[in-house]
Amino acid sequence: MLRWSMLFLVIALVAGLFGFVGIVNVAADFAKVLFFLFLVLFIISLFTGRRGAR
């Protein structure tokens, strides 16, 4: 999922370089949403992740 957010970030940067404003906004929004979703899932997995035998 982090790979997808980075991909949309790169698409937004390239589109911004060429001046495609609509594509930049859409790709940047997707990158933000996917990044925050990844971050939330990562934090949840830290708390509920697998623990070794104690």
Side-chain angles (χ1 to χ4, degrees), residues 3 10 14 16-17 21 23 26-27 30 32-33 37 42-43 48 50-52:
R3 186 174 299 172
V10 169
V14 170
L17 184 66
V21 178
I23 296 172
V26 171
F30 273 119
K32 282 187 227 175
V33 167
L37 184 63
F42 176 71
I43 291 171
T48 63
R50 301 180 109 188
R51 303 206 195 306

Side-chain angles (χ1 to χ4, degrees), residues 18-38:
F18 291 119
F20 299 115
V21 178
I23 296 172
V24 170
N25 291 335
V26 171
D29 288 341
F30 273 119
K32 282 187 227 175
V33 167
L34 288 175
F35 177 74
F36 285 117
L37 184 63
F38 166 79

